[in-house]
Amino acid sequence: MCASVKYSSRGPALIPRMKTKHRIYYITLFSVVLLGLIATGMFQFWPHSIESSPEWTLDRRSVHDAPLVKLPVSSPIPERGDLSCRMHTCFDVYRCGYNPKNRIKVYIYPLQRFVDEVGVPISSTGLSREYNDLLSAISDSDFYTDDVTRACLFVPSIDVLNQNSLRIRETAQALAMLPRWDKGMNHLLFNMLPGGPPDYNTALDVPRDRALLAGGGFSTWTYRQGYDVSIPVYSPLSAEVDLPEKQPGPRRYFILSSQTAIHREYRTELERLKEENGEALLLLDKCSNLSQGMASARKRCYKGQVYDYPQILQESSFCVVLRGARLGQATLSDVLQAGCVPVIMADSYILPFSEVLDWKRASVVIPEEKLPEMYTILKSIPHRQVEEMQRQARWFWEAYFRSMKAIGLTTLQIINDRIYPYAARTYEEWNNPPVVKWSSVSNPLFLPLIPPRSPGFTAVVLTYDRVESLFRVITEISKVPSLAKLLVVWNNQNKSPPEESLWPKIAVPLRVVRTKENKLSNRFFPFDEIETEAVLAIDDDIIMLTSDELQFGYEVWREFPDRLVGYPGRLHLWDHEMGKWKYESEWTNEVSMVLTGAAFYHKYFNYLYTYKMPGDIKNWVDAHMNCEDIAMNFLVANITGKAPIKVCISYLLACINKFASVFGTMPLKVVEHRADPVLYKDDFPEKLKSFPNIGSL
Amino acid sequence: MQAKKRYLISLLTGASLVLLLYFGGVPGPAPATSRHERARGGGGGGRRSGQPWPHASEPFQPFSPGDETDTEEYNAHVSPRQKREVHASVYRGKRCRMDSCFDFSLCRRNGFKVYVYPQQKGEKISESYQSILAAIEGSRFYTSDPSQACLFVLSLDTLDRDQLSPHYVHNLKSKVQSLPLWNDGRNHLVFNLYSGTWPDYTEDLGFDIGQAMLAKASVSTENFRPGFDVSIPLFPKEHPRSGGERGHLRANSIPPFRKYMLVFKGKRYLTGIGSDTRNALYHVHNAEDVVLLTTCKHGKDWQKHKDARCDKDNAEYDKYDYREMLHNSTFCLVPRGRRLGSFRFLEALQIPSTVRSIHQDKILALRQQTQFLWEAYFSSVEKIVLTTLEIIQDRVLQHTARSSLMWNSHPGGLFTLPQYSSYLGDFPFYYAGLGIKPYPKFTAVIHAVTPLVSQSQPILKLLVAVAKSQYCAQIIVLWNCDKPLPAKHRWPATSVPVIVIEGENKVMSSRFQPYESIITDAVLSLDEDTVLSTTEVDFAFTVWQSFPERIVGYPARSHFWDSNKERWGYTSKWTNDYSMVLTGAAIYHRYYHYLYTHFLPSSLKNMVDQLANCEDILMNFLVSAVTKLPPIKVTQKKQYKETMMGQSSRASRWADPDHFAQRQTCMNKFASWFGGMPLVHSQMRLDPVLFKDQVSILRKKYREIERL
């Protein structure tokens, strides 16, 4: 916007010297040019004009403008990588420090062009497209800092992705010349194609002191567990080809081999498999007689028939990923993208990101010597698992393989998780595809545990001004053996609670909490006064539950401490207007919610309700003075994936619709059972039953 | 013409202005790429201000020329087969990996079998090592025939390799070398708890382990051979041999913070290895919520090294009770000792305090995970040993090995046998975690022991009633009767397939065989004389869908501790609680068939087969040991109990007076194998929602259950 103002101020300066009749013509012409310019250059000019800074003149737009650094022959060479390096020996965590966001800061060295004494560059390709993408992605991410003194991790702008294009000694010298190199401490190098002919080392051969290596193709002998990061070999096809996600399920071919550089020993084995199993296997190789102009990387052939690669990968359930000279293969990325389950045969290979990814859920790893048994092994895998793996494979590609950005940021996140282990991503966060994250539950109360009876429960009674009814409720509840404490939440700001002497005398402590606002949510506040796990939420008008019924409710809660345990339709409600008992007449055979007018639940859900309730549900409930129980049912079902025990059925459809939209799903689970004491209504002497006074009303 | 000239001039000016702007020659707006374009690796030079990283514009070359892999030269590397052989010969000793130092072929013949060398006379074996050997010998992996074995375990005590220790075994080197099967330690597993001694505590065992795997406490990353060695916890000699206590977490209090935030109590060493960590602890100690106590009293001559803080520290140390501190702290510090591993680690696991965290939810989850790990893998020597063996077995199984989820979530790797299925959804434990549901039908398995003589026999009524259930997929009749199979037409016509299987040995345990014809997740196990209505079956199945990891059944039994006789008692009386449901009529996940057959030792299964009794008790023990929860009893019609108790068929085993006494004996035998009583009591029964409610019977879905 600023830019366009400048142009128009330039424009009139030229115009006055011209004849008036041409003026309009020129102005129009100029406007057209200007408009075109704005239209094409809008994105380029816009951001800068907003964040223009005096520093910008230091900007370098081109790699060729990067300063040239001449490496003296005698320039020091770092030591070879130290195999015993671990985070606690070769990494200075104190540089990362404690920071509230639990996020490491990454610095990228400015671009320099290193040349040897005679002016030959250290790398034949210079900065590659992929490394440029990677560095751009890091500099755009939250990890990035331009303040070298605050950085925890340093990324050189020397591209070592492909060792083949490097001059090893000179590259090492260049690394050592980096201003903060300090024996490679806290430096991170990215390499995808390590080693070189004839023996192809499985880690970058460039001497690099203590630098961390994010390498593609590590073997178990070169990978320093917990220090290096194993990364994929990026496949450029990821960006070129758009393969839409395909539904998991059986496909035309069972096994597909699409690699072109397979050692003849293995190709012979594959051909033998093909002979035995026929159509189930498709064994592709490179095309020998393609017409000019066709990209050979995008075609595969079998007996003269041409197939499109990587599209053909989508036609197979399993795809072979065999080791080549190197362990890491870019094919793996293509295979994952196609949602084909990779069959990885590369002994001792450290799979990409194996520190966090559970490859057993997305791939089949078979030892190379078992190649002849591949068909039998794969046939033994259950169909549903194959579908699960296909989905998982595709998700791994989408999340961690699809671009250099994904690869780079995943690497940084893994290192970040090591530095701040207490804030690390969980197994589920790393491995569950969104569809599973959405439909599955992660219940923090996952331990199967039946809490002891002795701590008892705390009854929380929400009241406004119905003192008489409240006192009756208190007197009734106080008879329950396991009651530990009674907490009255006084929700009336205009009126003080009755004097202490007027309250019923009961055997357990009774506390009154006065609230600041008359909100329904107050009943679910995790008050410090609640010292037990179990909470009985009860309305001040529920007086028809017997002591046995409440005690039994508590016993049931102990067996299901992660569920809401509420009372059934026999619940009687005091109708103030009519001055008589309302009788709940709506009976159904199914349970999906219980009313919190009388329900046992874990105090943890109070904490969740108050601090972790999604969306604006809490405010909605407080504004409408209604549906707090339904909100609680949604919350618990959403967290635990479990149905409550028992039900009451009166609810408002409006709340259900509202809450279902906030949760984005209908978490409530319907069941058809309820809990009764073992001898309930059995023909058995009442006095021998633990809970005789149940359902006696 | 002039107009034309002017037009040309101005056009040129305009064009040059545009060009100037484009190439940034004019000190005005600087070229900068938008975030969008940058993310695409985009064109246009420049960068965001203040960023030294240029988003450079040139058409870069790709990092790898695409057709490199196609060249023959690239492909002409060493034969992969030769390469594997070279690896095996080069990577030995400290660089051992499964690929190079383990002979997989030994495991291929007989599966994963473990051989323990016979104990030699005169060899002293410590209590702990005896426990380890006993655990292996009692496991399903054990073989007494070395030619069957895939893994070998020494009978020489290698646990304590501290030369100053009384348990130190001398001349181990020559003793090991003289073993005829040693073979440079190939496929051997060596257990070790302590290595090295004062002052440098090296991790050297004092003999050459060759290619043997090491299961060692206190192993550092420097010496640990990933994917080959196994790191085990350091356990004291009092550690229970089997079973073991449950974790001490009883309640998940909210907020989860305890009296102390972080505690530690231990020796300070003053000098030498490990002392710097512990000498530094006092900096963090604040005597309020962070209590880190050290004592200088270590060894005989600690006074010599005594420093200025010692007296004060020693006094502070004695003020606090260790157990009280552990139980009341949110986190426990586990600093290294002389060796890396520490008893504190086990203690901290059992008493649920965790190492460091922030959010309340996270503390809650971490604390629960400590309990899970303790109970699944640490609470007894047997669990530690079995976990070690299972980890090695996973490596041998390779593609069918357990996934991390199986290891790290309840009930843990020891109860999750990967040979059953590698698909998580085939187990009863992961439905919620994967967001899926069990298959909504069941397979009924009827155990038939009496010949089919009349058309009024209970088994035929049962067959018809079960087949009518909307959830029934098929019925399997397990023919465990000595008489030959009845002709096909003798079975009633049903809408679901009826499969008759002839029992292999006609033994009791065969009813829990994982038959391949069971295609559903749920199994309804039935005795031939069971009386059930379709409604009862339907209702029980809907309940099971909510609790797929438990047994859901009708008649229930209970156990109790008989303090007079000091043993477990069994009761079939009507009581207010129960801990077992009879498998003569129960629904459970088919995985438990697999576990029963392949997890339980043959000693227990043989006992069941010989007595032709107790199979239901054993199944209940097994499932409760896995779930740590009671079974679920659903409501039943009244007459059921009486018929169940055996008036119907003459051969009913329930009529046998010995029957009850046997069951008592079984319970105690099972409890000793499980290392404790896994059964858990429940006080509730699940009834249909409107059961016996005062509403019209017509409104009830499961009304048949109430009718007598």
Side-chain angles (χ1 to χ4, degrees):
Chain A
M1 224 168 284
C2 179
S4 62
V5 172
K6 277 187 180 168
Y7 302 138
S8 40
S9 71
R10 245 163 236 275
L14 282 166
I15 290 163
R17 274 184 258 146
M18 299 167 189
K19 277 184 185 167
T20 331
K21 68 167 178 178
H22 292 299
R23 194 173 271 184
I24 296 171
Y25 178 68
Y26 286 125
I27 289 176
T28 322
L29 179 81
F30 217 90
S31 312
V32 168
V33 171
L34 207 79
L35 269 173
L37 196 127
I38 291 171
T40 54
M42 179 75 100
F43 275 93
Q44 291 162 36
F45 296 127
W46 193 302
H48 186 88
S49 54
I50 294 167
E51 39 178 284
S52 71
S53 99
E55 251 181 290
W56 83 275
T57 44
L58 295 170
D59 186 29
R60 279 168 235 104
R61 288 174 298 107
S62 163
V63 172
H64 302 295
D65 295 343
L68 209 62
V69 181
K70 198 168 264 189
L71 296 164
V73 181
S74 59
S75 167
I77 303 174
E79 282 172 35
R80 283 195 64 84
D82 181 357
L83 262 183
S84 66
C85 261
R86 292 297 181 273
M87 290 308 267
H88 62 274
T89 54
C90 295
F91 193 91
D92 182 6
V93 286
Y94 297 105
R95 285 212 185 137
C96 311
Y98 172 78
N99 76 61
K101 277 171 136 181
N102 296 325
R103 195 161 272 276
I104 55 170
K105 286 293 167 202
V106 182
Y107 174 78
I108 303 174
Y109 283 99
L111 191 61
Q112 289 172 310
R113 284 184 302 145
F114 291 93
V115 291
D116 66 9
E117 292 228 302
V118 290
V120 182
I122 58 166
S123 154
S124 59
T125 51
L127 186 69
S128 70
R129 181 171 65 209
E130 283 78 9
Y131 201 55
N132 180 51
D133 289 352
L134 178 80
L135 295 182
S136 306
I138 296 175
S139 72
D140 284 341
S141 74
D142 283 352
F143 292 109
Y144 181 72
T145 180
D146 54 3
D147 181 354
V148 72
T149 58
R150 283 176 56 218
C152 151
L153 201 61
F154 301 86
V155 179
S157 52
I158 302 168
D159 181 355
V160 293
L161 282 180
N162 183 355
Q163 187 184 313
N164 276 1
S165 58
L166 296 178
R167 296 168 67 197
I168 307 246
R169 182 191 150 87
E170 287 74 14
T171 308
Q173 287 175 324
L175 287 174
M177 278 185 77
L178 295 171
R180 298 259 166 178
W181 179 251
D182 187 19
K183 287 209 170 299
M185 278 277 228
N186 296 30
H187 279 64
L188 176 64
L189 304 180
F190 286 89
N191 167 256
M192 287 180 175
L193 300 175
D199 52 352
Y200 289 95
N201 190 3
T202 53
L204 181 67
D205 282 319
V206 175
R208 53 186 190 276
D209 281 334
R210 296 167 159 189
L212 292 160
L213 186 59
F218 276 120
S219 84
T220 164
W221 289 288
T222 48
Y223 178 66
R224 296 169 292 182
Q225 206 165 25
Y227 193 65
D228 291 327
V229 181
S230 175
I231 61 169
V233 180
Y234 175 71
S235 166
L237 291 181
S238 293
E240 286 172 29
V241 189
D242 180 38
L243 293 180
E245 187 168 359
K246 207 175 164 184
Q247 278 304 307
R251 300 189 177 169
R252 188 159 159 217
Y253 303 104
F254 187 58
I255 302 171
L256 173 70
S257 164
S258 63
Q259 286 165 293
T260 52
I262 297 176
H263 194 274
R264 58 185 179 285
E265 274 179 21
Y266 285 163
R267 191 164 286 280
T268 320
E269 302 263 23
L270 286 171
E271 271 156 11
R272 195 174 304 141
L273 273 175
K274 166 84 186 154
E275 271 165 39
E276 286 164 17
N277 301 294
E279 286 299 291
L281 255 83
L282 183 60
L283 196 54
L284 301 176
D285 203 346
K286 61 175 170 284
C287 299
S288 46
N289 48 354
L290 271 187
S291 57
Q292 285 296 312
M294 280 172 99
S296 65
R298 301 281 303 276
K299 296 287 169 198
R300 294 286 186 276
C301 287
Y302 174 69
K303 287 192 176 164
Q305 199 172 345
V306 185
Y307 296 86
D308 282 331
Y309 183 87
Q311 285 81 355
I312 185 65
L313 295 173
Q314 288 201 309
E315 301 299 319
S316 181
S317 298
F318 292 97
C319 294
V320 177
V321 182
L322 259 172
R323 66 169 299 151
R326 297 193 176 95
L327 288 170
Q329 296 286 316
T331 315
L332 178 61
S333 177
D334 300 335
V335 165
L336 294 174
Q337 183 182 12
C340 185
V341 179
V343 181
I344 300 165
M345 279 173 279
D347 289 359
S348 79
Y349 177 39
I350 304 289
L351 288 168
F353 303 131
S354 56
E355 186 170 335
V356 292
L357 299 188
D358 190 349
W359 279 98
K360 281 183 191 120
R361 288 173 65 183
S363 70
V364 184
V365 179
I366 298 179
E368 289 171 43
E369 60 169 341
K370 282 198 179 174
L371 177 56
E373 296 160 48
M374 173 171 71
Y375 186 82
T376 335
I377 290 171
L378 297 181
K379 269 290 170 198
S380 71
I381 299 173
H383 291 294
R384 283 187 298 173
Q385 194 192 352
V386 176
E387 290 178 16
E388 178 99 9
M389 288 167 122
Q390 289 171 336
R391 189 176 62 176
Q392 196 79 6
R394 171 76 187 194
W395 143 252
F396 274 6
W397 178 79
E398 276 174 10
Y400 309 114
F401 279 68
R402 70 178 307 152
S403 59
M404 289 303 291
K405 178 182 178 180
I407 296 171
L409 297 187
T410 305
T411 308
L412 295 184
Q413 184 64 44
I414 289 175
I415 297 171
N416 197 79
D417 279 4
R418 294 180 192 159
I419 311 272
Y420 305 106
Y422 44 87
R425 286 214 216 170
T426 62
Y427 171 89
E428 285 77 15
E429 285 168 316
W430 281 112
N431 289 289
N432 281 353
V435 55
V436 174
K437 280 187 188 122
W438 198 238
S439 58
S440 69
V441 291
S442 59
N443 177 7
L445 301 172
F446 53 81
L447 195 71
L449 196 68
I450 297 183
R453 184 179 293 118
S454 54
F457 64 90
T458 306
V460 178
V461 193
L462 183 76
T463 191
Y464 191 74
D465 57 3
R466 293 184 286 207
V467 175
E468 185 198 347
S469 155
L470 170 70
F471 284 179
R472 281 181 67 187
V473 170
I474 293 175
T475 318
E476 282 302 316
I477 304 176
S478 68
K479 295 173 190 159
V480 185
S482 284
L483 179 73
K485 189 191 264 186
L486 226 155
L487 192 67
V488 175
V489 180
W490 190 264
N491 225 3
N492 189 342
Q493 286 76 40
N494 305 321
K495 203 167 126 185
S496 299
E499 268 178 55
E500 212 182 318
S501 58
L502 299 174
W503 290 80
K505 300 284 168 289
I506 59 171
V508 297
L510 185 138
R511 302 267 180 282
V512 182
V513 185
R514 296 194 64 178
T515 58
K516 292 201 179 76
E517 265 179 289
N518 181 20
K519 281 186 183 170
L520 271 181
S521 302
N522 288 338
R523 78 176 315 164
F524 294 135
F525 188 83
F527 295 103
D528 287 343
E529 282 82 357
I530 307 173
E531 289 169 305
T532 58
E533 275 184 277
V535 177
L536 168 67
I538 191 158
D539 285 346
D540 60 0
D541 54 0
I542 308 281
I543 54 175
M544 292 308 282
L545 288 170
T546 65
S547 160
D548 266 357
E549 281 170 326
L550 287 170
Q551 180 66 26
F552 178 65
Y554 174 62
E555 299 291 344
V556 172
W557 174 84
R558 285 180 50 228
E559 292 193 29
F560 301 101
D562 57 350
R563 299 188 190 221
L564 284 170
V565 176
Y567 287 87
R570 273 181 293 103
L571 187 67
H572 293 67
L573 301 165
W574 182 252
D575 189 331
H576 289 275
E577 281 164 41
M578 303 292 285
K580 63 173 188 181
W581 295 106
K582 275 199 291 194
Y583 185 72
E584 186 51 73
S585 60
E586 206 180 332
W587 301 91
T588 80
N589 286 294
E590 293 176 339
V591 174
S592 64
M593 285 195 284
V594 295
L595 283 184
T596 50
F600 286 94
Y601 59 85
H602 198 284
K603 190 188 170 189
Y604 176 66
F605 298 128
N606 269 352
Y607 163 81
L608 281 185
Y609 189 98
T610 309
Y611 301 112
K612 300 279 175 90
M613 181 66 94
D616 57 346
I617 288 183
K618 232 179 88 181
N619 297 334
W620 197 93
V621 165
D622 286 334
H624 291 72
M625 284 300 259
N626 207 342
C627 298
E628 84 285 6
D629 44 2
I630 301 174
M632 188 58 140
N633 273 280
F634 266 76
L635 182 72
V636 175
N638 195 48
I639 285 285
T640 65
K642 293 176 181 173
I645 304 281
K646 267 318 181 200
V647 80
C648 208
I649 34 285
S650 60
Y651 48 72
L652 299 172
L653 210 58
C655 321
I656 297 209
N657 293 337
K658 157 82 184 167
F659 297 165
S661 73
V662 172
F663 281 95
T665 164
M666 182 63 180
L668 297 183
K669 302 280 180 294
V670 177
V671 293
E672 298 180 336
H673 53 250
R674 64 163 202 235
D676 289 331
V678 174
L679 300 176
Y680 177 66
K681 299 244 169 154
D682 275 353
D683 189 13
F684 197 72
E686 292 292 316
K687 59 173 190 257
L688 293 178
K689 292 185 181 177
S690 298
F691 307 100
N693 288 317
I694 285 188
S696 52
L697 286 162
Chain B
M1 276 318 277
Q2 212 193 8
K4 213 169 185 180
K5 214 177 187 177
R6 275 188 193 154
Y7 164 65
L8 215 78
I9 290 169
S10 64
L11 197 71
L12 278 172
T13 326
S16 54
L17 188 74
V18 169
L19 279 173
L20 272 172
L21 283 168
Y22 247 111
F23 292 106
V26 176
T33 325
S34 79
R35 256 169 186 272
H36 277 92
E37 273 171 295
R38 266 188 238 142
R40 279 187 262 118
R47 58 173 180 87
R48 201 163 56 189
S49 64
Q51 282 189 10
W53 179 247
H55 296 278
S57 58
E58 31 263 287
F60 288 111
Q61 293 187 24
F63 78 108
S64 150
D67 48 358
E68 184 195 342
T69 48
D70 281 352
T71 61
E72 281 304 315
E73 191 190 355
Y74 182 89
N75 193 9
H77 55 90
V78 208
S79 144
R81 203 162 286 135
Q82 283 171 5
K83 196 159 191 164
R84 288 204 300 266
E85 280 157 20
V86 170
H87 277 177
S89 59
V90 169
Y91 295 116
R92 287 285 163 85
K94 282 197 117 182
R95 314 203 71 192
C96 263
R97 295 293 187 274
M98 292 301 273
D99 290 334
S100 62
C101 296
F102 190 86
D103 185 356
F104 286 95
S105 65
L106 290 184
C107 310
R108 220 156 286 166
R109 271 171 284 146
N110 305 296
F112 187 72
K113 289 288 171 199
V114 185
Y115 172 75
V116 178
Y117 284 87
Q119 295 183 18
Q120 282 160 351
K121 272 184 196 159
E123 278 297 337
K124 269 201 304 184
I125 295 184
S126 68
E127 217 174 301
S128 296
Y129 201 62
Q130 267 168 2
S131 300
I132 289 178
L133 296 183
I136 297 173
E137 284 163 1
S139 76
R140 62 181 188 285
F141 304 116
Y142 177 70
T143 177
S144 54
D145 177 2
S147 67
Q148 303 257 313
C150 146
L151 192 69
F152 297 80
V153 177
L154 300 176
S155 62
L156 298 161
D157 188 349
T158 50
L159 281 189
D160 195 342
R161 300 304 297 155
D162 184 338
Q163 288 176 14
L164 304 179
S165 154
H167 291 296
Y168 185 80
V169 177
H170 293 273
N171 307 324
L172 201 54
K173 196 173 178 177
S174 57
K175 283 175 187 163
V176 167
Q177 295 297 341
S178 66
L179 295 171
L181 299 169
W182 176 245
N183 189 19
D184 193 30
R186 219 166 159 79
N187 289 33
H188 279 65
L189 176 66
V190 173
F191 285 91
N192 176 259
L193 293 182
Y194 309 95
S195 64
T197 189
W198 192 85
D200 51 354
Y201 295 93
T202 59
E203 287 175 26
D204 177 41
L205 296 192
F207 72 103
D208 181 18
I209 58 166
Q211 299 175 45
M213 287 183 233
L214 203 52
K216 185 174 178 348
S218 312
V219 55
S220 72
T221 50
E222 268 157 63
N223 295 310
F224 185 73
R225 296 166 293 182
F228 191 68
D229 292 333
V230 182
S231 176
I232 61 170
L234 183 62
F235 60 87
K237 66 172 188 289
E238 308 81 34
H239 206 54
R241 189 172 277 197
S242 68
E245 269 182 272
R246 284 204 70 177
H248 290 184
L249 183 74
R250 289 285 170 267
N252 289 299
S253 52
I254 303 289
F257 309 114
R258 306 213 172 123
K259 183 175 162 193
Y260 305 112
M261 192 64 194
L262 180 69
V263 297
F264 168 72
K265 191 171 176 180
K267 290 170 180 170
R268 205 171 89 200
Y269 305 134
L270 296 164
T271 55
I273 195 161
S275 61
D276 42 358
T277 312
R278 293 191 172 194
N279 281 339
L281 293 182
Y282 80 98
H283 290 292
V284 195
H285 171 76
N286 67 8
E288 282 168 22
D289 64 337
V290 178
V291 182
L292 307 178
L293 305 168
T294 52
T295 177
C296 298
K297 293 177 187 165
H298 170 65
K300 285 175 210 138
D301 51 354
W302 67 274
Q303 298 268 11
K304 270 194 232 162
H305 306 285
K306 190 172 162 181
D307 63 19
R309 285 200 337 271
C310 270
D311 287 330
K312 186 164 163 272
D313 283 358
N314 288 354
E316 191 89 348
Y317 184 90
D318 295 332
K319 271 202 291 194
Y320 290 86
D321 176 59
Y322 181 55
R323 291 207 79 76
E324 189 265 346
M325 259 170 47
L326 273 189
H327 282 272
N328 290 307
S329 181
T330 312
F331 298 111
C332 287
L333 187 69
V334 184
R336 64 162 299 157
R338 287 288 201 217
R339 298 180 181 88
L340 287 172
S342 164
F343 289 129
R344 304 293 165 268
F345 183 65
L346 268 197
E347 290 160 0
L349 270 186
Q350 187 180 15
I351 294 131
S353 310
T354 336
V355 194
R356 183 177 152 91
S357 173
I358 289 176
H359 291 293
Q360 294 199 20
D361 295 76
K362 185 92 181 176
I363 295 177
L364 206 62
L366 286 172
R367 188 175 285 164
Q368 298 216 350
Q369 190 69 4
T370 61
Q371 300 295 286
F372 157 68
L373 291 176
W374 164 263
E375 284 166 16
Y377 307 117
F378 292 91
S379 65
S380 68
V381 177
E382 187 184 26
K383 280 181 189 160
I384 294 172
V385 171
L386 289 181
T387 307
T388 310
L389 295 182
E390 292 280 12
I391 288 172
I392 297 169
Q393 195 199 7
D394 260 12
R395 298 177 188 159
V396 173
L397 290 171
Q398 286 159 330
H399 63 277
T400 44
R402 295 167 180 85
S403 68
S404 320
L405 195 68
M406 291 177 174
W407 280 112
N408 290 301
S409 61
H410 183 79
L414 299 190
F415 286 124
T416 322
L417 306 186
Q419 296 93 330
Y420 163 73
S421 170
S422 41
Y423 176 55
L424 291 165
D426 281 340
F427 292 87
F429 317 117
Y430 311 109
Y431 293 123
L434 298 175
I436 52 174
K437 290 193 173 98
Y439 186 73
K441 300 232 166 187
F442 66 80
T443 301
V445 179
I446 305 179
H447 187 228
V449 290
T450 48
L452 208 55
V453 285
S454 95
Q455 286 301 313
S456 62
Q457 258 171 260
I459 186 170
L460 299 176
K461 283 185 199 157
L462 179 66
L463 230 149
V464 172
V466 170
K468 271 197 221 148
S469 166
Q470 53 176 312
Y471 304 113
C472 184
Q474 56 175 2
I475 299 175
I476 294 174
V477 177
L478 176 62
W479 193 254
N480 259 357
C481 172
D482 295 333
K483 295 281 174 344
L485 283 174
K488 266 207 166 147
H489 69 269
R490 302 283 301 273
W491 302 105
T494 53
S495 55
V496 296
V498 175
I499 304 163
V500 184
I501 298 178
E502 181 134 33
E504 217 171 287
N505 301 316
K506 315 248 168 186
V507 290
M508 198 47 105
S509 291
S510 67
R511 70 184 300 170
F512 296 136
Q513 281 274 332
Y515 295 105
E516 278 194 10
S517 38
I518 302 176
I519 46 160
T520 57
D521 288 335
V523 175
L524 169 62
S525 168
L526 295 164
D527 280 349
E528 59 174 4
D529 52 0
T530 298
V531 178
L532 271 185
S533 70
T534 311
T535 323
E536 285 169 308
V537 172
D538 281 351
F539 175 66
F541 184 71
T542 62
V543 170
W544 177 83
Q545 287 179 301
S546 294
F547 306 97
E549 77 284 17
R550 305 206 211 178
I551 308 183
V552 174
Y554 305 89
R557 299 289 182 266
S558 193
H559 76 281
F560 61 95
W561 177 249
D562 188 338
S563 48
N564 292 332
K565 294 181 183 155
E566 295 231 306
R567 61 177 204 158
W568 294 104
Y570 169 88
T571 174
S572 61
K573 286 203 186 94
W574 270 12
T575 53
N576 283 298
D577 53 19
Y578 64 91
S579 54
M580 289 170 270
V581 294
L582 301 182
T583 51
I587 301 180
Y588 49 79
H589 199 281
R590 74 178 158 137
Y591 175 59
Y592 292 121
H593 273 202
Y594 189 88
L595 263 192
Y596 185 98
T597 310
H598 295 284
F599 177 80
L600 293 174
S602 40
S603 61
L604 298 192
K605 285 181 287 184
N606 289 344
M607 181 177 183
V608 164
D609 291 343
Q610 277 158 19
L611 297 173
N613 193 354
C614 303
E615 83 287 357
D616 48 356
I617 300 181
L618 186 52
M619 188 54 129
N620 274 279
F621 265 69
L622 176 64
V623 176
S624 280
V626 172
T627 61
K628 316 261 187 276
L629 291 170
I632 284 179
K633 175 184 165 64
V634 291
T635 194
Q636 63 191 106
K637 276 201 265 188
K638 277 294 89 55
Q639 87 268 27
Y640 179 76
K641 184 179 178 296
E642 288 81 53
T643 49
M644 191 75 193
M645 290 309 285
Q647 331 155 321
S648 56
S649 67
R650 283 159 295 146
S652 176
R653 52 204 170 104
W654 302 92
D656 185 350
D658 285 342
H659 187 77
F660 189 80
Q662 283 172 355
R663 290 170 81 79
Q664 194 106 326
T665 318
C666 288
M667 290 244 317
N668 287 286
K669 176 91 196 247
F670 298 162
S672 83
W673 186 80
F674 279 92
M677 172 49 77
L679 296 179
V680 184
H681 281 115
S682 171
Q683 298 190 67
M684 49 152 245
R685 176 181 92 191
L686 293 182
D687 294 342
V689 170
L690 299 179
F691 183 69
K692 300 227 169 158
D693 277 341
Q694 311 236 318
V695 288
S696 160
I697 193 113
L698 294 174
R699 301 190 60 169
K700 300 186 181 181
K701 188 171 172 188
Y702 299 103
R703 59 188 81 120
E704 297 297 322
I705 296 179
E706 292 179 38
R707 289 194 186 140
L708 284 177

